[in-house]
Amino acid sequence: MCVPQGRDSAERGVRAAEANFGVGTQAVSIAQHGRRTSDPDVRDRLYELLEHDPHPHSLGSRFVRLIVAIIVLDVLAMVLASVPELDARFGGLFTAVKIAAIAVFALEYAARLWSVAGHSLRKLTPLQDRLEYAVSTLGIIDLLAFLAPTIALVIADRSALAVLGVVPFFKLVRYSPAMRSLLAALQAERRTLIGCLVILAGAVLLFASLLYAIERDVQPDKFGTIPQAMWWAIVTLGTVGYGDVVPVTPLGKLVSVFTIIGGLTMIALPVAIISTAFAEEVRRRDFVVTWGMLARVPLFSHLTASEIADIMRLLRARTIEQGEILVRRGDPASSMYFIAAGEVEIELPNQRVRLADGTFFGEIALLHRTKRNGTVTATRKTRLLLLDAQDFHALIERVPALATHVRTTAKARLADSGDLAAAELAQSTPEQEQPDR
């Protein structure tokens, strides 16, 4: 079977990079199958653009940046419009920005509603898919983002516009991993937080009742009823202390001391719960990303969960800027690299190969203790995970099954790479002659 020269050259380039740098099989798959076997229709392409194309410098990432910029301008225009001097001078511009944002948000909502059909995790009809999106949290936010400001503009009420105009800000939940993590943390700890609110309500009622009993005859206008005393208890437990309502009797002041101390505890408790849950959610998200990347690496795909977790503890993070050289040809092999986000270009003697998110390189040079056979440069800002040579060799010594698999995989890759594999083996030095690193 005759293979086109361009494709044959590309495949040889990928095999060469795989032999010299240990490129992952995902990169081979991407290079050999750049397109799907059956091209998606317009609706599928639109769905991928809106939902699953967040990679840096892609069309989807540009769309996200555009929507975020429109949200920021929209909310900023709403805030500035509340200043009478600015509204009198730029009122027409603020209104135009609001109308343009409404139009964009409405088109985005319509596009999401149309393209979501056929993409549910469950086997639903197109109508059911669209209803599922429409009643979801993000779907409701997308709807209100243009519907609420439209209502405010129609009724021409500045107060309503100030209240409803802030709704588009919540669209950032879709595009902000930090906000999604915070919401996930609140969802995970909702029962604990509800318990804190119940305890806080009980403390308010207790201290308000005590001050009512102590101060009602002395200050009937401020502590004459328990609801009045509850205002003092709330602002005191909240450590705000406006000073508009304060006890004047010695016993009342003593109760205030315990109320203030209790308030510090009441505030610290939910804050600690939320911050801990948020940090745990961020770690969990990073863990899932790293775990998924390592689990896809052929060298580690056969390992158990505990062994993969052991490898993750050895990884170090590093970020390189666009144009920065990571390694040069002839450098000693010091690390194995995993690309978490970004893209690098490997310059081999006769060709160049680019690797993107999820791929890896460098383990064969570590295994055979050779020098690098190419120069690796970041084509854009790239986040890497590094496994040092010392940790790599210690790991394969500690996990015999991994060592066997590494050598088997390396042998198979070198056998497929032709002359470049032979050149690498010629450069290699027997392991027993190498000092421990």
Side-chain angles (χ1 to χ4, degrees):
M1 181 175 179
C2 182
V3 180
Q5 182 177 359
R7 178 179 174 184
D8 185 49
S9 176
E11 291 180 354
R12 287 199 306 269
V14 172
R15 287 197 300 270
E18 185 175 319
N20 288 277
F21 288 90
V23 177
T25 55
Q26 295 98 330
V28 179
S29 176
I30 292 170
Q32 294 179 349
H33 308 287
R35 299 180 61 187
R36 294 183 179 182
T37 54
S38 59
D39 290 335
D41 58 20
V42 175
R43 187 170 65 187
D44 293 332
R45 290 182 183 276
L46 182 60
Y47 179 79
E48 291 297 322
L49 171 67
L50 295 174
E51 298 289 348
H52 297 294
D53 188 20
H55 304 294
H57 304 282
S58 66
L59 184 60
S61 67
R62 294 188 183 97
F63 172 78
V64 168
R65 287 195 291 269
L66 175 63
I67 293 296
V68 170
I70 293 174
I71 293 172
V72 172
L73 286 175
D74 181 32
V75 175
L76 182 62
M78 183 272 297
V79 172
L80 296 178
S82 65
V83 182
E85 295 81 4
L86 295 178
D87 187 43
R89 186 174 180 180
F90 303 105
L93 176 61
F94 295 151
T95 303
V97 170
K98 175 61 69 176
I99 293 174
I102 289 174
V104 171
F105 297 152
L107 289 174
E108 182 200 4
Y109 179 78
R112 291 185 184 277
L113 193 63
W114 176 66
S115 64
V116 76
H119 293 281
S120 174
L121 296 178
R122 298 177 293 170
K123 293 184 178 180
L124 303 176
T125 65
L127 178 60
Q128 290 174 323
D129 285 338
R130 290 173 177 132
L131 287 175
E132 186 179 59
Y133 162 72
V135 300
S136 66
T137 302
L138 291 177
I140 293 173
I141 291 175
D142 290 337
L143 175 64
L144 294 178
F146 71 89
L147 187 59
T150 300
I151 295 173
L153 286 176
V154 170
I155 64 177
D157 188 333
R158 288 291 183 182
S159 299
L161 184 61
V163 175
L164 300 179
V166 77
V167 174
F169 176 81
F170 295 101
K171 284 176 66 67
L172 292 177
V173 172
R174 181 188 296 277
Y175 307 112
S176 172
M179 293 182 69
R180 289 199 301 271
S181 296
L182 179 58
L183 292 178
L186 293 175
Q187 173 71 13
E189 299 295 335
R190 63 188 184 279
R191 292 183 177 86
T192 306
L193 293 174
I194 291 174
C196 290
L197 290 177
V198 172
I199 295 173
L200 179 60
V204 169
L205 184 59
L206 172 63
F207 290 118
S209 299
L210 289 175
L211 260 292
Y212 163 73
I214 297 170
E215 299 273 338
R216 63 174 180 172
D217 295 330
V218 180
Q219 300 186 81
D221 57 326
K222 297 179 180 178
F223 295 97
T225 65
I226 291 180
Q228 286 179 310
M230 289 178 69
W231 166 252
W232 164 86
I234 290 172
V235 297
T236 305
L237 285 170
T239 67
V240 178
Y242 291 123
D244 56 337
V245 179
V246 293
V248 294
T249 62
L251 186 56
K253 292 179 180 179
L254 179 62
V255 171
S256 294
V257 171
F258 290 101
T259 306
I260 294 171
I261 295 174
L264 295 174
T265 305
M266 292 296 101
I267 296 300
L269 187 60
V271 169
I273 292 172
I274 294 173
S275 60
T276 302
F278 179 69
E280 182 64 29
E281 186 65 29
V282 172
R283 284 196 298 269
R284 185 182 298 113
R285 187 187 69 229
D286 292 341
F287 179 87
V288 169
V289 172
T290 307
W291 180 285
M293 185 169 60
L294 287 180
R296 292 195 303 269
V297 174
L299 290 175
F300 307 136
S301 59
H302 71 294
L303 299 180
T304 64
S306 61
E307 290 170 334
I308 293 180
D310 188 25
I311 295 172
M312 291 177 62
R313 285 191 289 269
L314 301 176
L315 295 175
R316 295 186 297 106
R318 178 178 174 183
T319 300
I320 55 177
E321 300 296 330
Q322 181 178 359
E324 183 177 347
I325 296 177
L326 179 63
V327 296
R328 296 181 184 273
R329 185 180 182 186
D331 288 347
S334 60
S335 300
M336 177 182 180
Y337 302 92
F338 303 87
I339 303 177
E343 183 183 68
V344 300
E345 181 180 76
I346 302 177
E347 183 181 358
L348 298 169
N350 299 316
Q351 54 217 316
R352 297 172 183 266
V353 178
R354 291 196 174 190
L355 306 178
D357 303 3
T359 53
F360 64 98
F361 56 94
E363 86 282 6
I364 290 181
L366 287 182
L367 182 63
H368 292 280
R369 303 181 188 270
T370 68
K371 294 181 179 180
R372 302 295 187 189
N373 202 31
T375 299
V376 181
T377 306
T379 58
R380 58 176 183 259
K381 187 174 182 178
T382 302
R383 185 163 59 90
L384 300 164
L385 297 175
L386 281 66
L387 181 61
D388 288 337
Q390 182 177 358
D391 292 331
F392 177 84
H393 290 292
L395 186 65
I396 62 175
E397 290 177 4
R398 189 166 64 250
V399 185
L402 176 62
T404 301
H405 192 68
V406 166
R407 293 187 174 91
T408 302
T409 302
K411 183 178 179 180
R413 287 179 174 176
L414 293 174
D416 291 338
S417 61
D419 294 338
L420 285 173
E424 179 176 285
L425 287 176
Q427 295 175 6
S428 65
T429 304
E431 291 190 18
Q432 61 268 24
E433 296 180 7
Q434 290 286 337
D436 292 333
R437 290 193 284 177

